[in-house]
Amino acid sequence: MRTPSLLVAILLAAAAVSLNSGADATELLGAPEKTTHLHFFLHDTLSGKDPSAVLVAHGARRAPNHDGPTPFGSVYATDDVLTEGPERESKVVGNAQGLYISSGRRQLSLVLGMDFELTAEPFNGSAFVVYSRNNVAEHPVGRELAIVGGRGKFRMARGYALLRTHYLDTNNGDAIIEYNVTLRHH
Ligand SMILES: *[C@@H]1O[C@H](CO)[C@@H](O)[C@H](O)[C@H]1NC(C)=O
Ligand SMILES: *[C@@H]1O[C@H](CO)[C@@H](O)[C@H](O)[C@H]1NC(C)=O
């Protein structure tokens, strides 16, 4: 008597486990995909007493100078502010933390690896992640970044961001960039 009931218990446990994992997968894959558009301005400030981007490494013989704040091989760590409008006093809606690398030998091009976390509703605490080339010199308007993932409400996100340079000080590197983001997520 004991052996069959133990077997039944094991079979039930196995069934429960496989049903659970099946339900998880269905929940994720079956949920309808949503499209979300976001619009904001990123403030990347290298100058002043409280910069939002700081140099953490640079290529040999290529230290930043007044002629070029981001020579090839420079790596900056960022905690950039995201605002609703282009003015720094405009409502803060998030921050972008990560790195960018000056990756163009001939003209200004960056590779960004950054996590954009929103702090305003309805997406407070959710984030999307960019890992992409940012061809600043070639496309002052309409350059595109790839969005490769997300967290929170943007779990499983993918998408793209279209950028326009709103302001760039080529002497100190300070910039304000307009972002139009399109995200597909569950
Ligand atoms: C966003 O969430 C944080 C942490 O839960 C909270 O402290 C903050 O007040 C929220 N902000 C808004 C605008 O709701
Ligand atoms: C973002 O979208 C708005 C509204 O469609 C448009 O006016 C603006 O030019 C766009 N900016 C970029 C950088 O794509």
Side-chain angles (χ1 to χ4, degrees):
M1 280 306 274
R2 285 188 74 83
T3 312
S5 67
L6 182 63
L7 184 63
V8 167
I10 289 168
L11 284 175
L12 280 177
V17 167
S18 70
L19 274 180
N20 275 342
S21 63
D24 283 345
T26 313
E27 196 181 301
L28 212 50
L29 296 173
E33 243 187 355
K34 301 182 195 93
T35 301
T36 297
H37 295 282
L38 304 168
H39 180 248
F40 55 79
F41 291 81
L42 173 144
H43 300 257
D44 189 54
T45 309
L46 280 61
S47 72
K49 288 201 178 73
D50 187 23
S52 69
V54 295
L55 183 77
V56 292
H58 64 77
R61 300 186 307 279
R62 282 180 177 267
N65 54 45
H66 289 297
D67 298 332
T70 50
F72 175 57
S74 318
V75 180
Y76 282 81
T78 72
D79 184 359
D80 288 344
V81 176
L82 312 178
T83 58
E84 208 167 65
E87 309 79 24
R88 182 59 189 79
E89 299 69 35
S90 168
K91 184 187 169 195
V92 172
V93 295
N95 55 75
Q97 298 188 3
L99 293 171
Y100 60 80
I101 302 161
S102 184
S103 54
R105 275 185 296 156
R106 310 269 176 256
Q107 55 180 9
L108 182 58
S109 174
L110 308 171
V111 170
L112 270 62
M114 283 160 79
D115 178 298
F116 289 67
E117 184 169 299
L118 303 182
T119 53
E121 293 302 339
F123 297 115
N124 187 14
S126 295
F128 63 87
V129 176
V130 164
Y131 196 98
S132 192
R133 186 182 298 209
N134 180 2
N135 213 326
V136 183
E138 204 167 313
H139 299 290
V141 177
R143 59 190 185 273
E144 180 177 335
L145 304 185
I147 294 170
V148 297
R151 301 185 281 114
K153 288 182 177 159
F154 300 140
R155 201 179 269 183
M156 306 286 280
R158 62 198 195 290
Y160 61 94
L162 296 176
L163 274 60
R164 182 181 67 86
T165 303
H166 178 77
Y167 169 85
L168 174 64
D169 183 325
T170 50
N171 291 316
N172 64 19
D174 288 358
I176 302 171
I177 312 294
E178 181 183 5
Y179 273 69
N180 268 343
V181 172
T182 301
L183 289 173
R184 302 295 302 273
H185 59 99
H186 288 285

